Amino acid sequence: MSSIRQYIDIYRDNAKALDDNSSPVLNALRPKAFEALDGKELPRRGDEGYEKTSLEDMFAPDFGLNIFRLDIPVDIADTFKCDVPRVSTLMAYVINDKFVKSAALTDRLPEGVIFGSLARESAVHPQLAGQYYGQLASLHDVPTALNTLLVQDGVVLYVPRGVKLEKPLQLVNIFSSPTPLMAVRRVLIILEDDAKAQMLVCDHTQDGERGYMSSQVVEIFLGRNASLDLYDMEESSPLTSRCSQLYARQEEGSRLLVNGTTLACGTTRNDYHISLEGAGASSMLTGMAIASGHQHVDNDSCVNHRTHDCESRQKFKYILDDEATGAFEGGITVFPGAERTSAYQSNKNILASAAAKMHTKPQLLIYCDDVKCSHGATTGQLDQNALFYMRQRGISEKMARTMLMQAFMADVIDTVTIDGLDDRLRHLVEKRLHGQSSFCSDCALSK
Amino acid sequence: MDNKILLDVKNLHASIDGKEILKGINLQVREGEVHAIMGPNGSGKSTLSMVLAGAPGYSVTEGSATFHGKELLELSPEDRSHEGLFLSFQYPVEIPGVSMVNFMRAAVNEKRKYFNEAPLSASDFLKLMRQKRAVVELDNKLASRSVNEGFSGGEKKRNEIFQMAVLEPSLSILDETDSGLDIDALRIVAGGVNKLKNEKNATIVITHYQRLLDYIKPDFVHVLYKGRIVMTGGPELALELEEKGYDWIKESND
C-alpha cells in the first residue's frame, strides 16, 4: 500500500474537523488538493527529480496529526532559549504546527505589519490571504498538494508597501509530542513594493526519542524592489524527517536571499522553486549541510529566469561523514525573452569518510541568447597536503580536519547579512564539526 | 664536539609506492650545528625531510631515527613538531579559509597543551606574533589573510621562517628554502635563520645550490646520491660541488 493512502483516509474521515479547526482561506483549497491527489503517489527513490530520496518512505510511518488542535504542553522558556547572542530579533514560536504569539512581539511590529498565525490572520484578513495563499504552491507537486490538503495553521508575514523592518524576525519551530507526530506547516510571506524584511527560522526537535515528520510549504511574494533575507536552519534529530517546498515569485528589482542550513537531521528534502518574473530581480540561494551517522540531506533547486536582466546565484556546500548521504539537483531555466540573464550555480562537497556518498546533478536549460550561465560541481576529500602542513606545525589531525572543514564553509557563511548571525553560524559549525550537537540545549545552558 | 646529539639517523631505508628512495641513511646532528645536504635531483633529499617529519605516504622499511633520545619515527607528525622538529616546506601549502592568525594560534596552543601549559592569552599571543614577524620583516597585513593564499614566492618562504621563529624548534629542516627567491628575499630569509640560531638548536639545510650556503654557513656538508650519503665534508665541499658539478660524484658512485 502506498503511504499516501493513510493521509487521504485521514482527510476523508476528518474533513469537517480539519475545516472547523482552521480558516476558510485554508479550507477553500482542500477540495482542489484532494482532486489533484487522485490516483497520485508520493515519489519514490529513483523517480525523476527524486533520485536519492524517497518521500514514500519518509511519509510511510504512522504519524499522528493534531487535527483537533489539542494543546501539547511544551516548556519553551526552559528548554528553548534559542536566541542568538548579539543578534537582536523579534521572536515567535511554532510548536509543532501551532503559532505561539507573544504580546511583546505585536507591540514592537511597525504598523500594518502582520506576523502571526496563518489560520488566525487569514480569518481576520481573508481578502489579503486569499489573494496570495496557494498561488505559487503548485498542486501538481504531490507533497505540496498533501500539505494543502491537511494544513491547518502556520505563519504569515505581511509587510506593506515601503515598510522596512529594522529588526530581523525569528521563528523557532519546535517539535514536541508524546507520540510520533506529523506537523503540517505553512508559511506565507508577502512583501509589497519596496518592503524589506529579514527572517531567521530554526527547526528543533525537543525529544530525540520519537519520530517526527515536518511537511512544510513556504510561499514568498516579493513586490517591486522588495528585499527579503530568509535563513532556514535545521537542527533536528535522526528520527526527524523534513519535507520542505519553497516557492518564491520576484517582481521587478526585488532581491531574495535564501540560506538553507542543515546541521542535524534524519532525512531532509528541501525544494526551492524561484521564479524571477520582473526585470532586474536578483536571488541568491545558498545552502550548507553537515551530515554524519545515517543522515540524509537532499536539496533541489529550480531557478526560473522568466524575464530579462535578472541575476541568480546558487551556492551549496556539503560535508558528509560516516555513512551520511547527500544529494543536490540544481536547475536553472532561462526562458525565451530572458536576455542578459546572469545565472551561476556551484555545488562543492567534501566526503570525510570512505562510506559517505554524494550525488550531484546540475541541470541548465537555456532557451535564449545573450545569457551568462554556468555551473560547477566538485566532490572530494580534504586536502591531504594542507592536513600534513598543519600537523607539521603541531596542530592535531582532528583539529586540522575541523579547521579545514570550517574553512570550506567560510564562503557560505560570508554571505550572511544579519549582524552577529555569521559569528553564531561559525560557532555552530565549529561545534557541529567537533561532534557536539543540539545548539538548543547549548543556548539553554549558556543562559 | 661534545655537544649533545639531537638527531641520530641510522641505516634509514624508506620507500614510496613500493619504490625504495632512501637506501641506508646515517646522519648525526648535534646541538649548535648546521648541516647542509646537497645532491643532484632525485637523490632523495626531499624524501629524507618528509620521512623525518612524518609525511603520510612514505614507509620506513628499515633503520631508526632518534630525536633527543626519543624514537622519532614512532611519533605522529604533530608530536614530532611538539618535540621540536620543524620543516620549512619546499612548497608551502595554501589553505584558503584558514587565517594565518587562527593557524598560528592553534599551532602555538597545541604545543602548549602538549606540555601541559595553559593557552596564551590573546594579548600575549599578539605580542608574540609582532615580535616574531620582525625576524623576517613579514608584513602585518599577511596575518589577516588565509595561510599562504596569494602570497608571493618570497612571502611564502618568509612565512615559513616566521613560523619557525614562533615555534622555536630545536631542529629545523629547511627544504630548498632558497628556491624561487630573489637575492634580497634570500638575504632576509637567511638572516632570519641566522638570528634564530643558538648553541642549543640545529639546522639541516637541504639545497641544490651553494648560493644559500654563502648566507647560512654550514659546519658539515653531505652529498646525498641515490638514497645514500656518499660524501661528507666541511664548507669547502660545497664550493667544490659548485665548481665541478655532481658528475664526478655520480661517476665514482655508479
Side-chain angles (χ1 to χ4, degrees), chain A residues 190-443:
Chain A
I190 305 151
L191 267 60
E192 290 186 347
D193 296 355
D194 301 304
K196 189 179 175 193
Q198 294 176 308
M199 186 147 113
L200 168 61
V201 185
C202 46
D203 273 20
H204 305 295
T205 301
Q206 189 175 37
D207 177 357
E209 302 295 299
R210 249 170 292 282
Y212 295 108
M213 170 80 208
S214 128
S215 155
Q216 172 176 282
V217 171
V218 181
E219 289 179 280
I220 299 171
F221 299 84
L222 298 184
R224 294 172 61 171
N225 300 318
S227 168
L228 175 73
D229 297 343
L230 178 67
Y231 297 87
D232 190 353
M233 294 200 288
E234 182 183 7
E235 167 106 22
S236 61
S237 73
L239 294 180
T240 301
S241 290
R242 170 183 153 120
C243 176
S244 169
Q245 276 76 37
L246 179 145
Y247 301 83
R249 187 172 78 199
Q250 295 187 241
E251 304 297 343
E252 200 178 320
S254 62
R255 82 166 261 298
L256 172 68
L257 182 151
V258 177
N259 171 305
T261 294
T262 312
L263 290 175
C265 66
T267 300
T268 289
R269 162 80 181 204
N270 296 315
D271 280 278
Y272 299 97
H273 305 264
I274 315 270
S275 190
L276 296 150
E277 302 195 358
S282 70
S283 56
M284 173 95 173
L285 184 53
T286 62
M288 62 182 176
I290 302 174
S292 55
H294 287 91
Q295 296 167 4
H296 176 76
V297 183
D298 182 355
N299 286 301
D300 282 53
S301 70
C302 179
V303 175
N304 291 325
H305 283 260
R306 293 191 180 273
T307 190
H308 57 92
D309 294 294
C310 292
E311 191 180 280
S312 69
R313 297 283 178 271
Q314 297 182 55
K315 187 193 282 278
F316 281 84
K317 287 191 159 183
Y318 291 61
I319 296 174
L320 303 173
D321 204 350
D322 303 332
E323 289 168 58
T325 49
F328 174 74
E329 295 194 24
I332 299 172
T333 306
V334 182
F335 285 79
E339 279 84 15
R340 297 175 299 280
T341 284
S342 163
Y344 297 105
Q345 180 194 93
S346 139
N347 170 232
K348 292 184 178 170
N349 314 296
I350 284 182
L351 301 180
S353 74
K357 280 187 192 148
M358 182 70 202
H359 166 82
T360 177
K361 183 177 162 189
Q363 201 168 12
L364 273 57
L365 299 168
I366 302 169
Y367 301 102
C368 177
D369 294 331
D370 190 15
V371 301
K372 283 190 268 183
C373 214
S374 77
H375 69 86
T378 58
T379 299
Q381 278 85 43
L382 289 174
D383 180 351
Q384 295 301 311
N385 290 327
L387 209 52
F388 174 61
Y389 187 73
M390 296 172 86
R391 295 179 72 189
Q392 206 304 301
R393 298 303 185 248
I395 302 171
S396 68
E397 183 177 10
K398 191 161 179 270
M399 186 182 237
R401 289 176 69 90
T402 306
M403 288 173 77
L404 289 175
M405 290 189 212
Q406 260 182 288
F408 177 72
M409 290 301 188
D411 61 340
V412 178
I413 295 174
D414 286 345
T415 63
V416 169
T417 52
I418 297 179
D419 279 345
L421 182 61
D422 46 351
D423 287 337
R424 183 68 183 154
L425 263 181
R426 236 170 251 126
H427 174 71
L428 291 175
V429 166
E430 185 184 347
K431 285 196 63 173
R432 176 65 177 84
L433 293 172
H434 276 114
Q436 299 164 323
S437 60
S438 179
F439 61 80
C440 287
S441 53
D442 171 56
C443 285

Side-chain angles (χ1 to χ4, degrees), chain A residues 150-194:
Chain A
L150 300 172
V151 70
Q152 291 177 286
D153 196 5
V155 179
V156 58
L157 169 65
Y158 166 73
V159 186
R161 181 184 299 260
V163 175
K164 294 177 168 52
L165 291 180
E166 282 174 23
K167 279 198 175 199
L169 303 168
Q170 187 177 3
L171 200 60
V172 181
N173 288 326
I174 300 171
F175 261 122
S176 176
S177 161
T179 54
L181 182 81
M182 178 158 102
V184 186
R185 296 167 177 160
R186 192 86 178 205
V187 180
L188 185 60
I189 299 176
I190 305 151
L191 267 60
E192 290 186 347
D193 296 355
D194 301 304

Side-chain angles (χ1 to χ4, degrees), chain A residues 20-60:
Chain A
D20 288 349
N21 293 285
S22 187
S23 84
V25 172
L26 274 60
N27 295 340
L29 286 188
R30 277 185 234 286
K32 283 183 188 154
F34 183 73
E35 215 173 280
L37 286 170
D38 185 39
K40 293 282 172 56
E41 293 192 3
L42 283 157
R44 292 162 199 262
R45 194 181 144 100
D47 287 356
E48 182 161 9
Y50 293 86
E51 284 170 38
K52 299 294 162 188
T53 307
S54 171
L55 297 193
E56 170 69 25
D57 291 348
M58 286 167 73
F59 280 88

Side-chain angles (χ1 to χ4, degrees), chain B residues 44-216:
Chain B
K45 301 190 299 291
S46 284
T47 299
L48 177 60
S49 65
M50 292 304 248
V51 168
L52 291 177
Y58 296 86
S59 45
V60 174
T61 50
E62 211 182 321
S64 69
T66 52
F67 185 41
H68 49 74
K70 291 204 164 135
E71 286 299 333
L72 182 70
L73 303 175
E74 286 170 11
L75 300 177
S76 66
E78 48 269 40
D79 285 352
R80 296 181 199 202
S81 169
H82 298 145
E83 289 291 338
L85 182 83
F86 182 90
L87 172 62
S88 169
F89 284 64
Q90 182 176 3
Y91 304 107
V93 184
E94 297 192 8
I95 315 179
V98 175
S99 73
M100 270 306 297
V101 174
N102 282 344
F103 174 69
M104 287 316 294
R105 189 186 291 120
V108 167
N109 285 333
E110 290 267 286
K111 182 175 179 182
R112 293 179 69 87
K113 195 164 108 189
Y114 184 77
F115 291 106
N116 289 317
E117 293 168 351
L120 273 191
S121 72
S123 66
D124 285 349
F125 173 73
L126 291 174
K127 209 164 97 189
L128 179 71
M129 293 296 102
R130 213 166 32 238
Q131 210 182 345
K132 302 298 185 181
R133 267 202 316 270
V135 174
V136 281
E137 302 167 38
L138 193 70
D139 197 321
N140 185 21
K141 70 172 190 281
L142 297 181
S144 58
R145 300 243 297 265
S146 292
V147 178
N148 291 320
E149 195 187 25
F151 286 29
S152 70
E155 283 168 341
K156 281 182 183 166
K157 293 299 170 78
R158 274 199 254 177
N159 191 17
E160 294 292 286
I161 307 306
F162 159 70
Q163 295 172 38
M164 175 177 150
V166 172
L167 295 172
E168 297 180 337
S170 52
L171 177 67
S172 304
I173 304 172
L174 311 181
D175 189 3
E176 304 276 3
T177 292
D178 51 334
S179 68
L181 290 188
D182 62 34
I183 201 76
D184 292 326
L186 182 65
R187 197 177 295 131
I188 293 169
V189 164
V193 173
N194 289 330
K195 272 183 234 171
L196 299 172
K197 196 177 167 247
N198 61 39
E199 70 277 11
K200 283 285 169 198
N201 62 24
T203 311
I204 296 174
V205 182
I206 292 174
T207 184
H208 199 71
Y209 302 105
Q210 195 268 337
R211 184 175 77 145
L212 180 64
L213 305 180
D214 286 341
Y215 298 93
I216 303 173

